[in-house]
Amino acid sequence: MATVAGATAAGAAVAGRYTCRLSSGAGVPMPEKRWGTCIMTLMRLSARADYALRAAIELAAASSGHVTADQLARAQQIPGKFLETILTQLRRAGLIRSQRGPDGGFWLARPAAEISLADIIRAIDGQLLGVRGERPENITYPGVAEPLQQVWIALRANERAVLEQVTLADIVSGNLPDTIRHLTENPSAWV
């Protein structure tokens, strides 16, 4: 779950913290240049969501149509038992399908162009932005802090604008939407 600063991400203790930095200018998630770790000011992406995204991208890129859990785990360096739980959650959310047996494995339940990054994150962690586990529209602040609710709602809208626009197919092709590329061209997004 994306959470407001200070909360720990579910699964972080198992696999370390995998979070990404928010640009101070545009307020859009931007990865650091180091593999596997990044830091965010206001939002945290859980290790489970990070692993789920990487596994789903592997499935989207699979030319054979299906991939075993072991292949996914090796390709993305995801602990096997951790991955099993993630794949179960993705299957229950209707994002992937599975089959047991010698010809078994996992594959996407619908085309990669129809599955957004937000779909994957929600399947694993629930709502995109929460404040103390609550939706921002359900939080009220007393006195002069009252406008803080609007900040959280704006942050969630910005997060949705990115994560709902980018699909698994965009990631696999390496052809990100123009709005995403435009945001990453701003040098301040990388610091």
Side-chain angles (χ1 to χ4, degrees), residues 106-136:
F106 296 88
W107 61 93
L108 296 179
R110 55 185 199 252
E114 296 177 15
I115 302 174
S116 72
L117 301 185
D119 293 332
I120 303 293
I121 294 168
R122 284 185 186 114
I124 300 301
D125 286 342
Q127 64 190 353
L128 288 180
L129 179 80
V131 180
R132 298 186 319 264
E134 294 287 332
R135 297 176 59 87

Side-chain angles (χ1 to χ4, degrees), residues 4-182:
V4 174
T8 57
V14 175
R17 289 204 170 107
Y18 290 88
T19 57
C20 295
R21 177 173 304 211
L22 280 178
S23 136
S24 59
V28 177
M30 296 296 157
E32 278 189 0
K33 295 180 182 179
R34 291 178 25 194
W35 172 258
T37 62
C38 0
I39 300 169
M40 260 200 189
T41 309
L42 294 174
M43 180 189 137
R44 295 189 187 276
L45 186 65
S46 74
R48 287 185 315 174
D50 177 60
Y51 288 156
L53 288 166
R54 291 164 43 198
I57 291 164
E58 283 290 330
L59 291 175
S63 58
S64 66
H66 75 283
V67 181
T68 67
D70 188 52
Q71 289 169 324
L72 289 172
R74 279 184 283 139
Q76 287 298 318
Q77 302 174 359
I78 302 171
K81 291 292 183 185
F82 206 40
L83 181 61
E84 288 177 24
T85 303
I86 290 165
L87 293 172
T88 298
Q89 287 180 276
L90 293 175
R91 187 179 49 75
R92 286 182 181 153
L95 297 172
I96 66 171
R97 293 185 180 170
S98 64
Q99 177 180 318
R100 294 180 189 260
D103 293 328
F106 296 88
W107 61 93
L108 296 179
R110 55 185 199 252
E114 296 177 15
I115 302 174
S116 72
L117 301 185
D119 293 332
I120 303 293
I121 294 168
R122 284 185 186 114
I124 300 301
D125 286 342
Q127 64 190 353
L128 288 180
L129 179 80
V131 180
R132 298 186 319 264
E134 294 287 332
R135 297 176 59 87
E137 63 271 19
N138 297 333
I139 299 291
T140 57
Y141 294 95
V144 296
E146 184 178 356
L148 192 54
Q149 178 193 44
Q150 292 176 359
V151 172
W152 301 144
I153 289 173
L155 179 61
R156 181 182 60 190
N158 204 2
E159 184 178 13
R160 283 178 177 168
V162 171
L163 295 175
E164 290 178 353
Q165 181 180 7
V166 180
T167 68
L168 296 177
D170 295 330
I171 300 293
V172 170
S173 72
N175 189 20
L176 296 175
D178 289 339
T179 55
I180 305 305
R181 279 188 279 130
H182 175 70

